[in-house]
Amino acid sequence: MICSARQSLSPVHGSEVLLSQKRVFPSSRSSLLPPLRTQKSSRAVVSLSRPLHIVASVESFGPSPRREGKDLIKCEAYEADQSKPIEAGAGSEAAKKVKIGIYFATWWALNVVFNIYNKKVLNAFPYPWLTSTLSLACGSLMMLVSWVTRIAEAPKTDFEFWKTLFPVALAHTIGHVAATVSMSKVAVSFTHIIKSGEPAFSVLVSRFLLGETFPVPVYLSLLPIIGGCALAAVTELNFNMIGFMGAMISNLAFVFRNIFSKKGMSKSVSGMNYYACLSMLSLVILTPFAIAVEGPQMWAAGWQKALSDIGPHFVWWVVAQSVFYHLYNQVSYMSLDEISPLTFSIGNTMKRISVIVSSIIIFHTPVQPVNALGAAIAIFGTFLYSQSKQ
């Protein structure tokens, strides 16, 4: 802006603006501009944390009459940074939620199929120790083949990795066998109703053994879970103590498995390979106990009876339950790679709704209204638990 008026203005530096009280003083007249009124006074400093832009506008040029009460030069200050920060992680966070959702849906569907075939096998071949061993053996073989054929990249492990994995494998073995024993004695729906109490075990173990504390609503949500499971157990038509205790032991063992897994999972070993190594180590632990408890003679006699009663497709039942057992656990560990142990327990419990409903429909399990009420209360408690954890 070109102006011949002499003004006593203080310079504007960075974060300082010098303001002054109004005072009119004479100035020489230009051939282009009318006399200017400007301001001058003692200094007052206003500190700003963001840079200022000074916008100056001349309201009139030439000999137009001056307006009373208005300066010809108008100065305005505004903040340079008016934009909101871009949330760079919003897209990646949404993609992660979608990925976890797909994992959960696949995990639940595979688990439903496994439970159906597992119960069919146990009804015809009531040897849960061998059935559990075959499941682990099938998964181990599948992963070994995938590593040899380079379908999946083999993990790089050392002695320290296997040492850390051992308590996880021990807990996994106990939980797996206990759940299979339970389903060999009682209905699938009853086993999973009792196993829906897993969040209660998770909170209690985390509180008393790991020293973690939770909000009061979390503890209150355990009341309907425990009460619902108890009501369902009392009103179960085909109640069996071995089946009940197997489900309870499985709850406790799987909570320890999830906690140890999250602590021991290495960034160099993916969730899929981690579960493959877990299956192999569990197979090594379980095999001698399965031989000691049941033995080859019992297996041979039971196998012949199952083939005579069911036919050759009984073999495909065994293959199906073994394959789907590995697949659903593999996907669950891929989920555990992304979430916390408690969130994993919540997903594991919500999965039981689909298992309970599908097993009742397929196996025509008789359910009393009070028994169904107990299951609903336990599941509702699990929902409250998941909400209080958010």
Side-chain angles (χ1 to χ4, degrees):
M1 181 177 66
I2 303 174
C3 180
S4 62
R6 292 193 303 269
Q7 303 179 25
S8 177
L9 298 176
S10 301
V12 178
H13 297 285
S15 61
E16 293 188 355
V17 177
L18 304 180
L19 305 176
S20 60
Q21 297 177 349
K22 288 186 178 181
R23 177 183 171 190
V24 180
F25 60 93
S27 62
S28 60
R29 181 176 179 81
S30 169
S31 61
L32 296 176
L33 296 176
L36 302 176
R37 287 175 59 196
T38 161
Q39 300 175 351
K40 180 179 180 182
S41 73
S42 59
R43 291 186 175 183
V45 179
V46 178
S47 297
L48 299 175
S49 60
R50 296 181 179 176
L52 299 179
H53 294 271
I54 306 301
V55 180
S57 61
V58 179
E59 292 189 359
S60 62
F61 290 91
S64 59
R66 184 177 64 187
R67 300 177 186 176
E68 289 295 329
K70 282 194 175 181
D71 297 333
L72 296 178
I73 297 178
K74 182 179 180 182
C75 295
E76 297 177 350
Y78 65 91
E79 295 181 357
D81 185 11
Q82 292 286 347
S83 61
K84 294 183 179 179
I86 299 175
E87 297 181 2
S92 60
E93 186 67 24
K96 182 178 178 181
K97 290 183 179 179
V98 172
K99 180 181 178 182
I100 294 174
I102 294 174
Y103 280 167
F104 271 37
T106 307
W107 170 24
W108 296 349
L110 292 172
N111 188 261
V112 169
V113 178
F114 158 72
N115 277 278
I116 291 172
Y117 279 105
N118 190 48
K119 185 60 178 176
K120 286 186 174 183
V121 170
L122 291 172
N123 285 341
F125 184 75
Y127 296 97
W129 289 80
L130 178 60
T131 304
S132 302
T133 305
L134 292 176
S135 301
L136 296 174
C138 179
S140 301
L141 180 61
M142 290 170 60
M143 289 308 301
L144 286 174
V145 171
S146 66
W147 290 341
V148 171
T149 57
R150 299 188 180 278
I151 296 176
E153 184 179 356
K156 297 179 181 179
T157 61
D158 53 16
F159 176 77
E160 190 63 28
F161 171 81
W162 292 99
K163 179 181 176 181
T164 306
L165 185 65
F166 181 79
V168 184
L170 182 60
H172 178 71
T173 304
I174 295 172
H176 176 38
V177 174
T180 308
V181 169
S182 176
M183 279 188 280
S184 69
K185 299 296 183 180
V186 295
V188 176
S189 57
F190 177 70
T191 297
H192 282 274
I193 290 172
I194 301 305
K195 285 175 67 64
S196 66
E198 186 174 322
F201 286 86
S202 182
V203 170
L204 295 176
V205 168
S206 299
R207 175 65 183 89
F208 293 106
L209 296 184
L210 302 181
E212 297 182 15
T213 57
F214 303 94
V216 174
V218 173
Y219 294 109
L220 293 178
S221 68
L222 301 183
L223 297 178
I225 294 176
I226 297 173
C229 289
L231 181 61
V234 170
T235 58
E236 174 64 24
L237 292 176
N238 299 313
F239 179 83
N240 180 278
M241 182 56 71
I242 296 177
F244 175 75
M245 292 304 299
M248 295 289 283
I249 293 172
S250 178
N251 277 340
L252 186 60
F254 281 148
V255 166
F256 278 107
R257 182 198 66 176
N258 297 339
I259 293 174
F260 292 150
S261 295
K262 196 63 178 180
K263 289 185 175 183
M265 289 180 76
S266 172
K267 293 182 179 179
S268 60
V269 180
S270 64
M272 180 178 65
N273 284 335
Y274 187 89
Y275 179 71
C277 296
L278 177 63
S279 294
M280 296 174 187
L281 189 54
S282 294
L283 178 62
V284 172
I285 296 173
L286 177 58
T287 301
F289 288 96
I291 295 174
V293 173
E294 293 175 345
Q297 292 183 352
M298 296 177 64
W299 295 339
W303 190 268
Q304 292 298 325
K305 184 177 184 303
L307 285 175
S308 62
D309 293 343
I310 306 299
H313 57 278
F314 168 74
V315 178
W316 296 108
W317 289 2
V318 176
V319 173
Q321 73 91 21
S322 300
V323 170
F324 280 104
Y325 174 80
H326 175 77
L327 291 179
Y328 101 76
N329 273 287
Q330 189 176 76
V331 175
S332 72
Y333 263 79
M334 293 168 68
S335 304
L336 186 59
D337 231 355
E338 308 287 340
I339 57 180
S340 68
L342 285 174
T343 306
F344 183 88
S345 294
I346 295 169
N348 200 27
T349 303
M350 298 304 292
K351 166 206 69 180
R352 303 192 192 287
I353 300 175
S354 56
V355 175
I356 291 170
V357 173
S358 61
S359 65
I360 289 174
I361 294 173
I362 292 174
F363 296 108
H364 305 286
T365 306
V367 179
Q368 291 182 328
V370 179
N371 186 263
L373 177 63
I377 292 174
I379 294 171
F380 179 68
T382 303
F383 172 76
L384 295 179
Y385 172 83
S386 64
Q387 293 300 307
S388 63
K389 285 295 298 176
Q390 293 180 357

